[in-house]
Amino acid sequence: MTDTTRPARSSSSYRRFLARLISLPAMTREDAIWLIAGAIVTLFVLLPLATLAFIAAEPATAVWQHLLSTVLPEALATTALLMAGVGAITLFVGVGTAWLVTMCRFPGRRIFDWALLIPLAVPTYIIAFSYVELLDFTGPAQTALRTVFGFRTPREYWFPEIRSLGGAIFVMGFVLYPYVYLTTRATFLLQSASALDVSRTLGAGPLRLFFRVALPLARPAIAVGLSLAMMECLNDIGAVTFFGVKTLTFSVYDTWVNRSSLAGAAQLACTMLVIVFALLWAERHARRHQRFHVATTRHAGLPSYSLTGARAAGAWFACALPIVLGFLLPSWQLLQYVSRRLDDLTDPALLSATFNSLSLALSAAILTAAVGLVLTYANRVSRQPTVRLFGRIASIGYAVPGTVLAVGILIPMAALDNAIDSTMKSLFGVATGLLIVGSGAALVYAYVVRFLAVSYGQIESGLAKITPNLDMAARTLGRTSLRTLIEVHLPLIRPVLLSAILLAFVDCMKELPATILLRPFNFETLATSVYNAASREVFADGAIPALLIVLVGLVPVILLARTSAATYRDRTSRRASRN
């Protein structure tokens, strides 16, 4: 008996183990549908990365050896220096201003609380576009310097060169610091008032409280914000081009477009991916042991320091300077140019570029929100752990630079275009040409992959606030998961869904690297119009498109500010009700 039952038990255990491994325990028809939907989305996200790896593995040793000996060392060193400099500025400015507006009372603090987010509205390439005009030899800064002191030639005085690595670090640092400011400030607001009160009763002054208590508690949030700023820095191509800084992103573009080496561009793009995943690993590794839990409901009554005199003036200046450098000065320069070129508002080329930007961004934003909704809802209703894994994988597109996505998307889409064209010719004698790449569909695809994480996170947070009891009540009334989504969840998360569409729309409007590489021939957007004008050294021609992008980018910043204000009012009301 023992010998005959052992194989059965072993076989049963093996089947249970296999079922757990492939995550298919008691799968229903609805589970299978949501699992397939998540798998399809994940495949579309991973397709560019898989294509990139395939192209990079092609035997092009001569190209790679040339890149390895000439291009890659300089590009790696420049990229490392740029990211280190930008990281230092974003860390210092973001954390410092977050602490000041959260823990100190001084004139203008309420305004700085939301105004420090404004530089997020301006893409880095537009800030670079403006600063080149402000600080170049013929710009207003050097012109005023020569007028005041009577200088005639550049040899008679010294002025920092804006078209340099230092200029790129300065500009990008004061544009990207809000990533660190936003995450750090949220953590400071959520810190336990009891922990800070105990520290103060033990004699800790403001500096000691900051370095010994608040900063260690905020370290995970700082790491998240810093990694986001670093990935945006690595993704940039417009600012580094204007400043003449040859980073990895610029090298990918230059190798593909100017040297006509797709394999070399793919190999450089894979190097960039290694850096991106190293940043993600470093961010997770830095906070792997950070487990801070707040065990008190005292969130609103944070201890604060009242600043007066010179200290208040110093805090005001420290918060005002990033806003001036990151938004007001560049915007003033843009407005100066726009005021002289108002006749261009009816230019057909500008109207065409505006229509192209709006149509592409709106299509991609709606599609991104729809895909994000599918993933988040599948994660909610499915019992399969694999679906959760699909959601995480599909969110990595935001970490992939636009140039990398462009390289990985163009090849399969061009191959599909050629296949469709040859099929239509053989069957119907009709040449379709580049249906996907030529229509901009490949660009929409890149936008969706790149910004899927934005809508996914927004919709996931919205669905998390809906109690599962509503799902169970709908199911007991005979509703399927799809009908529950349409009749119950969509009406409840409509504001969140609109917010996800808006954020994705603005990100698509600002995206430059993927747009440059994947746009159809003779197809301009607002972003490429700015880039082309700056490349031709005709900065005034790009002022109106740049200002339009800035105005569109202000919308999500206003939403963030309103959310911040609502959170503050909610916390204040809870504090008043407890007291």
Side-chain angles (χ1 to χ4, degrees):
M1 293 294 294
T2 303
D3 294 335
T4 57
T5 57
R6 279 179 182 173
R9 290 178 181 175
S10 177
S11 176
S12 177
S13 300
Y14 177 75
R15 286 195 298 270
R16 286 196 300 269
F17 171 77
L18 185 61
R20 291 178 181 177
L21 183 64
I22 61 176
S23 181
L24 298 175
M27 177 178 286
T28 63
R29 181 181 178 183
E30 290 189 357
D31 285 338
I33 292 174
W34 292 113
L35 181 65
I36 293 172
I40 292 173
V41 173
T42 304
L43 287 175
F44 272 97
V45 172
L46 292 179
L47 176 62
L49 303 184
T51 305
L52 190 70
F54 177 77
I55 298 172
E58 290 184 1
T61 56
V63 175
W64 176 244
Q65 288 175 358
H66 171 73
L67 295 175
L68 190 62
S69 60
T70 58
V71 176
L72 191 58
E74 180 184 358
L76 277 175
T78 304
T79 303
L81 290 174
L82 178 65
M83 295 176 68
V86 172
I89 292 178
T90 56
L91 187 65
F92 180 78
V93 176
V95 176
T97 53
W99 176 258
L100 287 174
V101 299
T102 305
M103 298 298 298
C104 300
R105 296 194 304 271
F106 57 93
R109 180 180 66 89
R110 294 283 182 86
I111 297 176
F112 289 133
D113 185 46
W114 61 265
L116 283 162
L117 295 172
I118 290 180
L120 275 180
V122 192
T124 53
Y125 57 87
I126 291 181
I127 297 291
F129 165 91
S130 302
Y131 266 105
V132 167
E133 281 296 279
L134 276 169
L135 303 180
D136 213 0
F137 176 74
T138 57
Q142 293 200 49
T143 300
L145 183 65
R146 290 193 300 272
T147 302
V148 171
F149 294 99
F151 298 131
R152 296 183 179 179
T153 64
R155 297 180 181 179
E156 298 178 14
Y157 66 96
W158 178 86
F159 195 86
E161 178 58 53
I162 188 64
R163 295 175 184 264
S164 63
L165 178 61
I169 291 174
F170 166 78
V171 168
M172 296 176 71
F174 280 98
V175 177
L176 299 177
Y177 80 84
Y179 286 104
V180 179
Y181 166 79
L182 192 60
T183 56
T184 307
R185 171 182 158 279
T187 301
F188 285 158
L189 285 172
L190 293 174
Q191 284 181 357
S192 170
S194 301
L196 301 181
D197 280 338
V198 169
S199 302
R200 296 180 71 175
T201 57
L202 293 176
L207 289 178
R208 192 173 183 184
L209 180 66
F210 172 73
F211 286 106
R212 298 293 298 273
V213 180
L215 195 60
L217 290 174
R219 194 178 301 160
I222 294 172
V224 171
L226 190 60
S227 64
L228 288 174
M230 292 295 94
M231 285 186 286
E232 286 297 319
C233 177
L234 185 64
N235 178 61
D236 181 83
I237 190 173
V240 297
T241 302
F242 299 159
F243 291 130
V245 179
K246 297 181 180 180
T247 60
L248 278 171
T249 304
F250 175 82
S251 300
V252 171
Y253 175 79
D254 183 63
T255 302
W256 184 2
V257 176
N258 297 329
R259 303 185 185 186
S260 302
S261 176
L262 183 59
Q267 290 162 348
L268 289 175
C270 286
T271 305
M272 289 181 64
L273 275 183
V274 171
I275 295 177
V276 168
F277 290 133
L279 283 173
L280 293 175
W281 176 85
E283 179 262 320
R284 295 291 180 91
H285 183 77
R287 58 189 179 96
R288 68 190 186 283
H289 298 310
Q290 304 291 330
R291 296 293 186 272
F292 299 122
H293 302 283
V294 179
T296 177
T297 59
R298 291 188 59 203
H299 295 300
L302 289 174
S304 58
Y305 300 94
S306 181
L307 304 181
T308 58
R311 292 184 177 180
W316 189 93
F317 180 78
C319 292
L321 184 63
I323 301 171
V324 172
L325 296 178
F327 181 77
L328 293 181
L329 275 180
S331 298
W332 174 81
Q333 180 64 33
L334 286 178
L335 289 174
Q336 291 292 315
Y337 277 130
V338 170
S339 64
R340 305 170 195 165
R341 307 295 290 267
L342 293 178
D343 294 339
D344 292 345
L345 288 173
T346 56
D347 183 13
L350 176 64
L351 296 177
S352 176
T354 304
F355 174 78
N356 292 337
S357 293
L358 292 175
S359 58
L360 282 176
L362 185 60
S363 302
I366 295 175
L367 188 56
T368 301
V371 174
L373 179 63
V374 170
L375 279 177
T376 52
Y377 194 68
N379 191 21
R380 180 182 179 93
V381 302
S382 178
R383 294 174 293 174
Q384 306 301 323
T386 310
V387 177
R388 300 177 185 175
L389 178 63
F390 288 158
R392 294 180 180 179
I393 294 175
S395 300
I396 68 173
Y398 191 74
V400 181
T403 49
V404 174
L405 279 178
V407 176
I409 286 176
L410 183 62
I411 300 306
M413 294 300 101
L416 182 59
D417 271 337
N418 292 331
I420 294 174
D421 183 62
S422 61
T423 302
M424 294 297 291
K425 283 181 179 178
S426 61
L427 294 179
F428 306 103
V430 177
T432 58
L434 299 176
L435 279 178
I436 300 175
V437 178
S439 64
L443 189 54
V444 172
Y445 178 21
Y447 287 161
V448 172
V449 174
R450 176 100 166 84
F451 302 116
L452 179 58
V454 176
S455 63
Y456 180 84
Q458 286 282 317
I459 299 172
E460 185 181 40
S461 63
L463 284 175
K465 296 177 182 178
I466 300 177
T467 174
N469 295 336
L470 290 178
D471 299 62
M472 291 185 285
R475 300 305 292 271
T476 57
L477 293 174
R479 299 296 190 272
T480 64
S481 59
L482 181 59
R483 290 192 64 185
T484 302
L485 171 64
I486 297 173
E487 298 177 8
V488 179
H489 293 98
L490 282 182
L492 293 175
I493 66 169
R494 187 178 302 165
V496 175
L497 197 60
L498 291 176
S499 177
I501 293 175
L502 177 61
L503 290 175
F505 172 80
V506 174
D507 282 333
C508 294
M509 287 282 292
K510 297 189 296 184
E511 172 64 23
L512 180 63
T515 308
I516 291 176
L517 296 173
L518 290 177
R519 59 178 172 158
F521 294 109
N522 299 320
F523 187 92
E524 298 293 342
T525 65
L526 292 176
T528 59
S529 298
V530 176
Y531 180 82
N532 291 335
S535 300
R536 299 192 311 267
E537 300 288 338
V538 188
F539 296 98
D541 290 349
I544 294 180
L547 187 61
L548 291 176
I549 294 174
V550 172
L551 292 177
V552 172
L554 282 172
V555 176
V557 174
I558 294 173
L559 288 178
L560 285 174
R562 291 182 60 184
T563 303
S564 173
T567 303
Y568 178 82
R569 289 194 298 266
D570 180 64
R571 289 160 58 83
T572 304
S573 62
R574 283 191 282 116
R575 179 186 180 188
S577 63
R578 287 197 301 267
N579 293 336

PDB file of all heavy atoms in Angstrom, residues 270-291:
ATOM      1  N   CYS A 270      21.330  50.479 -24.945  1.00  0.00           N
ATOM      2  CA  CYS A 270      21.399  49.431 -23.922  1.00  0.00           C
ATOM      3  C   CYS A 270      22.276  49.877 -22.752  1.00  0.00           C
ATOM      4  O   CYS A 270      21.998  49.553 -21.591  1.00  0.00           O
ATOM      5  CB  CYS A 270      21.932  48.139 -24.534  1.00  0.00           C
ATOM      6  SG  CYS A 270      20.744  47.278 -25.590  1.00  0.00           S
ATOM      7  N   THR A 271      23.333  50.620 -23.040  1.00  0.00           N
ATOM      8  CA  THR A 271      24.160  51.170 -21.967  1.00  0.00           C
ATOM      9  C   THR A 271      23.348  52.119 -21.099  1.00  0.00           C
ATOM     10  O   THR A 271      23.473  52.132 -19.867  1.00  0.00           O
ATOM     11  CB  THR A 271      25.373  51.910 -22.562  1.00  0.00           C
ATOM     12  OG1 THR A 271      26.087  51.037 -23.432  1.00  0.00           O
ATOM     13  CG2 THR A 271      26.289  52.404 -21.464  1.00  0.00           C
ATOM     14  N   MET A 272      22.507  52.928 -21.735  1.00  0.00           N
ATOM     15  CA  MET A 272      21.637  53.814 -20.975  1.00  0.00           C
ATOM     16  C   MET A 272      20.658  53.018 -20.114  1.00  0.00           C
ATOM     17  O   MET A 272      20.378  53.399 -18.967  1.00  0.00           O
ATOM     18  CB  MET A 272      20.861  54.726 -21.924  1.00  0.00           C
ATOM     19  CG  MET A 272      21.699  55.787 -22.599  1.00  0.00           C
ATOM     20  SD  MET A 272      20.689  56.834 -23.682  1.00  0.00           S
ATOM     21  CE  MET A 272      19.601  57.605 -22.494  1.00  0.00           C
ATOM     22  N   LEU A 273      20.132  51.933 -20.641  1.00  0.00           N
ATOM     23  CA  LEU A 273      19.217  51.108 -19.858  1.00  0.00           C
ATOM     24  C   LEU A 273      19.895  50.538 -18.626  1.00  0.00           C
ATOM     25  O   LEU A 273      19.288  50.450 -17.553  1.00  0.00           O
ATOM     26  CB  LEU A 273      18.671  49.968 -20.720  1.00  0.00           C
ATOM     27  CG  LEU A 273      17.458  50.271 -21.594  1.00  0.00           C
ATOM     28  CD1 LEU A 273      17.021  49.020 -22.326  1.00  0.00           C
ATOM     29  CD2 LEU A 273      16.319  50.813 -20.756  1.00  0.00           C
ATOM     30  N   VAL A 274      21.143  50.149 -18.767  1.00  0.00           N
ATOM     31  CA  VAL A 274      21.889  49.646 -17.609  1.00  0.00           C
ATOM     32  C   VAL A 274      21.966  50.718 -16.522  1.00  0.00           C
ATOM     33  O   VAL A 274      21.784  50.444 -15.324  1.00  0.00           O
ATOM     34  CB  VAL A 274      23.308  49.196 -18.036  1.00  0.00           C
ATOM     35  CG1 VAL A 274      24.156  48.879 -16.818  1.00  0.00           C
ATOM     36  CG2 VAL A 274      23.214  47.986 -18.958  1.00  0.00           C
ATOM     37  N   ILE A 275      22.213  51.965 -16.928  1.00  0.00           N
ATOM     38  CA  ILE A 275      22.282  53.057 -15.963  1.00  0.00           C
ATOM     39  C   ILE A 275      20.920  53.286 -15.308  1.00  0.00           C
ATOM     40  O   ILE A 275      20.821  53.493 -14.083  1.00  0.00           O
ATOM     41  CB  ILE A 275      22.771  54.344 -16.655  1.00  0.00           C
ATOM     42  CG1 ILE A 275      24.205  54.154 -17.151  1.00  0.00           C
ATOM     43  CG2 ILE A 275      22.691  55.534 -15.710  1.00  0.00           C
ATOM     44  CD1 ILE A 275      24.747  55.343 -17.909  1.00  0.00           C
ATOM     45  N   VAL A 276      19.859  53.233 -16.101  1.00  0.00           N
ATOM     46  CA  VAL A 276      18.513  53.435 -15.561  1.00  0.00           C
ATOM     47  C   VAL A 276      18.176  52.366 -14.533  1.00  0.00           C
ATOM     48  O   VAL A 276      17.701  52.668 -13.425  1.00  0.00           O
ATOM     49  CB  VAL A 276      17.479  53.437 -16.700  1.00  0.00           C
ATOM     50  CG1 VAL A 276      16.065  53.344 -16.149  1.00  0.00           C
ATOM     51  CG2 VAL A 276      17.617  54.691 -17.538  1.00  0.00           C
ATOM     52  N   PHE A 277      18.417  51.105 -14.879  1.00  0.00           N
ATOM     53  CA  PHE A 277      18.102  50.036 -13.937  1.00  0.00           C
ATOM     54  C   PHE A 277      19.025  50.078 -12.720  1.00  0.00           C
ATOM     55  O   PHE A 277      18.626  49.693 -11.611  1.00  0.00           O
ATOM     56  CB  PHE A 277      18.188  48.684 -14.636  1.00  0.00           C
ATOM     57  CG  PHE A 277      17.092  48.458 -15.635  1.00  0.00           C
ATOM     58  CD1 PHE A 277      17.371  47.967 -16.905  1.00  0.00           C
ATOM     59  CD2 PHE A 277      15.777  48.750 -15.322  1.00  0.00           C
ATOM     60  CE1 PHE A 277      16.366  47.778 -17.830  1.00  0.00           C
ATOM     61  CE2 PHE A 277      14.767  48.569 -16.241  1.00  0.00           C
ATOM     62  CZ  PHE A 277      15.057  48.074 -17.498  1.00  0.00           C
ATOM     63  N   ALA A 278      20.244  50.569 -12.901  1.00  0.00           N
ATOM     64  CA  ALA A 278      21.129  50.747 -11.746  1.00  0.00           C
ATOM     65  C   ALA A 278      20.576  51.820 -10.813  1.00  0.00           C
ATOM     66  O   ALA A 278      20.643  51.690  -9.584  1.00  0.00           O
ATOM     67  CB  ALA A 278      22.533  51.123 -12.217  1.00  0.00           C
ATOM     68  N   LEU A 279      20.020  52.896 -11.390  1.00  0.00           N
ATOM     69  CA  LEU A 279      19.398  53.933 -10.561  1.00  0.00           C
ATOM     70  C   LEU A 279      18.206  53.371  -9.799  1.00  0.00           C
ATOM     71  O   LEU A 279      18.035  53.651  -8.600  1.00  0.00           O
ATOM     72  CB  LEU A 279      18.952  55.104 -11.436  1.00  0.00           C
ATOM     73  CG  LEU A 279      20.026  56.081 -11.914  1.00  0.00           C
ATOM     74  CD1 LEU A 279      19.426  57.067 -12.908  1.00  0.00           C
ATOM     75  CD2 LEU A 279      20.627  56.830 -10.742  1.00  0.00           C
ATOM     76  N   LEU A 280      17.380  52.585 -10.476  1.00  0.00           N
ATOM     77  CA  LEU A 280      16.225  51.996  -9.805  1.00  0.00           C
ATOM     78  C   LEU A 280      16.665  51.045  -8.694  1.00  0.00           C
ATOM     79  O   LEU A 280      16.084  51.038  -7.590  1.00  0.00           O
ATOM     80  CB  LEU A 280      15.358  51.253 -10.821  1.00  0.00           C
ATOM     81  CG  LEU A 280      14.659  52.120 -11.876  1.00  0.00           C
ATOM     82  CD1 LEU A 280      13.934  51.236 -12.885  1.00  0.00           C
ATOM     83  CD2 LEU A 280      13.683  53.078 -11.220  1.00  0.00           C
ATOM     84  N   TRP A 281      17.695  50.252  -8.976  1.00  0.00           N
ATOM     85  CA  TRP A 281      18.186  49.339  -7.945  1.00  0.00           C
ATOM     86  C   TRP A 281      18.765  50.109  -6.758  1.00  0.00           C
ATOM     87  O   TRP A 281      18.526  49.750  -5.594  1.00  0.00           O
ATOM     88  CB  TRP A 281      19.261  48.427  -8.535  1.00  0.00           C
ATOM     89  CG  TRP A 281      19.876  47.526  -7.495  1.00  0.00           C
ATOM     90  CD1 TRP A 281      19.422  46.318  -7.065  1.00  0.00           C
ATOM     91  CD2 TRP A 281      21.066  47.800  -6.741  1.00  0.00           C
ATOM     92  NE1 TRP A 281      20.249  45.811  -6.096  1.00  0.00           N
ATOM     93  CE2 TRP A 281      21.262  46.694  -5.873  1.00  0.00           C
ATOM     94  CE3 TRP A 281      21.973  48.858  -6.714  1.00  0.00           C
ATOM     95  CZ2 TRP A 281      22.335  46.635  -4.992  1.00  0.00           C
ATOM     96  CZ3 TRP A 281      23.043  48.801  -5.831  1.00  0.00           C
ATOM     97  CH2 TRP A 281      23.217  47.704  -4.982  1.00  0.00           C
ATOM     98  N   ALA A 282      19.512  51.172  -7.043  1.00  0.00           N
ATOM     99  CA  ALA A 282      20.113  51.961  -5.965  1.00  0.00           C
ATOM    100  C   ALA A 282      19.041  52.609  -5.104  1.00  0.00           C
ATOM    101  O   ALA A 282      19.165  52.668  -3.871  1.00  0.00           O
ATOM    102  CB  ALA A 282      21.041  53.029  -6.555  1.00  0.00           C
ATOM    103  N   GLU A 283      17.969  53.084  -5.756  1.00  0.00           N
ATOM    104  CA  GLU A 283      16.877  53.702  -5.001  1.00  0.00           C
ATOM    105  C   GLU A 283      16.200  52.684  -4.092  1.00  0.00           C
ATOM    106  O   GLU A 283      15.941  52.944  -2.921  1.00  0.00           O
ATOM    107  CB  GLU A 283      15.876  54.313  -5.985  1.00  0.00           C
ATOM    108  CG  GLU A 283      14.685  54.978  -5.342  1.00  0.00           C
ATOM    109  CD  GLU A 283      13.470  54.077  -5.323  1.00  0.00           C
ATOM    110  OE1 GLU A 283      13.226  53.382  -6.311  1.00  0.00           O
ATOM    111  OE2 GLU A 283      12.779  54.064  -4.293  1.00  0.00           O
ATOM    112  N   ARG A 284      15.935  51.475  -4.596  1.00  0.00           N
ATOM    113  CA  ARG A 284      15.313  50.430  -3.771  1.00  0.00           C
ATOM    114  C   ARG A 284      16.283  49.947  -2.706  1.00  0.00           C
ATOM    115  O   ARG A 284      15.893  49.699  -1.559  1.00  0.00           O
ATOM    116  CB  ARG A 284      14.890  49.255  -4.658  1.00  0.00           C
ATOM    117  CG  ARG A 284      13.810  49.577  -5.652  1.00  0.00           C
ATOM    118  CD  ARG A 284      12.487  49.834  -4.961  1.00  0.00           C
ATOM    119  NE  ARG A 284      11.443  50.152  -5.911  1.00  0.00           N
ATOM    120  CZ  ARG A 284      10.640  49.251  -6.472  1.00  0.00           C
ATOM    121  NH1 ARG A 284      10.816  47.965  -6.195  1.00  0.00           N
ATOM    122  NH2 ARG A 284       9.691  49.630  -7.292  1.00  0.00           N
ATOM    123  N   HIS A 285      17.564  49.817  -3.069  1.00  0.00           N
ATOM    124  CA  HIS A 285      18.552  49.325  -2.119  1.00  0.00           C
ATOM    125  C   HIS A 285      18.766  50.319  -0.978  1.00  0.00           C
ATOM    126  O   HIS A 285      18.958  49.923   0.174  1.00  0.00           O
ATOM    127  CB  HIS A 285      19.876  49.072  -2.844  1.00  0.00           C
ATOM    128  CG  HIS A 285      20.943  48.482  -1.968  1.00  0.00           C
ATOM    129  ND1 HIS A 285      20.953  47.145  -1.596  1.00  0.00           N
ATOM    130  CD2 HIS A 285      22.038  49.046  -1.373  1.00  0.00           C
ATOM    131  CE1 HIS A 285      21.995  46.915  -0.828  1.00  0.00           C
ATOM    132  NE2 HIS A 285      22.672  48.053  -0.674  1.00  0.00           N
ATOM    133  N   ALA A 286      18.706  51.626  -1.303  1.00  0.00           N
ATOM    134  CA  ALA A 286      18.949  52.641  -0.278  1.00  0.00           C
ATOM    135  C   ALA A 286      17.866  52.632   0.794  1.00  0.00           C
ATOM    136  O   ALA A 286      18.130  53.015   1.941  1.00  0.00           O
ATOM    137  CB  ALA A 286      19.035  54.022  -0.930  1.00  0.00           C
ATOM    138  N   ARG A 287      16.677  52.187   0.443  1.00  0.00           N
ATOM    139  CA  ARG A 287      15.599  52.207   1.434  1.00  0.00           C
ATOM    140  C   ARG A 287      15.062  50.802   1.724  1.00  0.00           C
ATOM    141  O   ARG A 287      13.914  50.654   2.163  1.00  0.00           O
ATOM    142  CB  ARG A 287      14.466  53.107   0.942  1.00  0.00           C
ATOM    143  CG  ARG A 287      13.857  52.751  -0.389  1.00  0.00           C
ATOM    144  CD  ARG A 287      12.907  53.845  -0.856  1.00  0.00           C
ATOM    145  NE  ARG A 287      12.311  53.546  -2.157  1.00  0.00           N
ATOM    146  CZ  ARG A 287      11.120  52.975  -2.319  1.00  0.00           C
ATOM    147  NH1 ARG A 287      10.405  52.639  -1.268  1.00  0.00           N
ATOM    148  NH2 ARG A 287      10.649  52.732  -3.525  1.00  0.00           N
ATOM    149  N   ARG A 288      15.923  49.788   1.530  1.00  0.00           N
ATOM    150  CA  ARG A 288      15.445  48.424   1.735  1.00  0.00           C
ATOM    151  C   ARG A 288      15.154  48.130   3.201  1.00  0.00           C
ATOM    152  O   ARG A 288      14.295  47.300   3.525  1.00  0.00           O
ATOM    153  CB  ARG A 288      16.485  47.429   1.194  1.00  0.00           C
ATOM    154  CG  ARG A 288      17.783  47.396   1.975  1.00  0.00           C
ATOM    155  CD  ARG A 288      18.840  46.591   1.238  1.00  0.00           C
ATOM    156  NE  ARG A 288      20.053  46.411   2.025  1.00  0.00           N
ATOM    157  CZ  ARG A 288      20.977  47.325   2.214  1.00  0.00           C
ATOM    158  NH1 ARG A 288      20.815  48.521   1.647  1.00  0.00           N
ATOM    159  NH2 ARG A 288      22.039  47.085   2.955  1.00  0.00           N
ATOM    160  N   HIS A 289      15.879  48.779   4.127  1.00  0.00           N
ATOM    161  CA  HIS A 289      15.675  48.551   5.554  1.00  0.00           C
ATOM    162  C   HIS A 289      14.855  49.661   6.207  1.00  0.00           C
ATOM    163  O   HIS A 289      14.714  49.675   7.426  1.00  0.00           O
ATOM    164  CB  HIS A 289      17.012  48.437   6.271  1.00  0.00           C
ATOM    165  CG  HIS A 289      17.846  47.272   5.809  1.00  0.00           C
ATOM    166  ND1 HIS A 289      17.353  45.986   5.717  1.00  0.00           N
ATOM    167  CD2 HIS A 289      19.144  47.205   5.391  1.00  0.00           C
ATOM    168  CE1 HIS A 289      18.306  45.171   5.274  1.00  0.00           C
ATOM    169  NE2 HIS A 289      19.402  45.888   5.058  1.00  0.00           N
ATOM    170  N   GLN A 290      14.355  50.611   5.388  1.00  0.00           N
ATOM    171  CA  GLN A 290      13.608  51.723   5.954  1.00  0.00           C
ATOM    172  C   GLN A 290      12.164  51.282   6.164  1.00  0.00           C
ATOM    173  O   GLN A 290      11.429  51.085   5.216  1.00  0.00           O
ATOM    174  CB  GLN A 290      13.662  52.935   5.014  1.00  0.00           C
ATOM    175  CG  GLN A 290      15.066  53.375   4.672  1.00  0.00           C
ATOM    176  CD  GLN A 290      15.773  53.976   5.868  1.00  0.00           C
ATOM    177  OE1 GLN A 290      15.150  54.550   6.742  1.00  0.00           O
ATOM    178  NE2 GLN A 290      17.079  53.870   5.899  1.00  0.00           N
ATOM    179  N   ARG A 291      11.775  51.140   7.423  1.00  0.00           N
ATOM    180  CA  ARG A 291      10.404  50.763   7.753  1.00  0.00           C
ATOM    181  C   ARG A 291       9.909  51.705   8.833  1.00  0.00           C
ATOM    182  O   ARG A 291       9.937  51.401  10.026  1.00  0.00           O
ATOM    183  CB  ARG A 291      10.341  49.300   8.255  1.00  0.00           C
ATOM    184  CG  ARG A 291      10.740  48.271   7.218  1.00  0.00           C
ATOM    185  CD  ARG A 291       9.745  48.210   6.085  1.00  0.00           C
ATOM    186  NE  ARG A 291      10.049  47.135   5.175  1.00  0.00           N
ATOM    187  CZ  ARG A 291      10.864  47.250   4.139  1.00  0.00           C
ATOM    188  NH1 ARG A 291      11.447  48.410   3.894  1.00  0.00           N
ATOM    189  NH2 ARG A 291      11.097  46.233   3.350  1.00  0.00           N
TER     190      ARG A 291
END
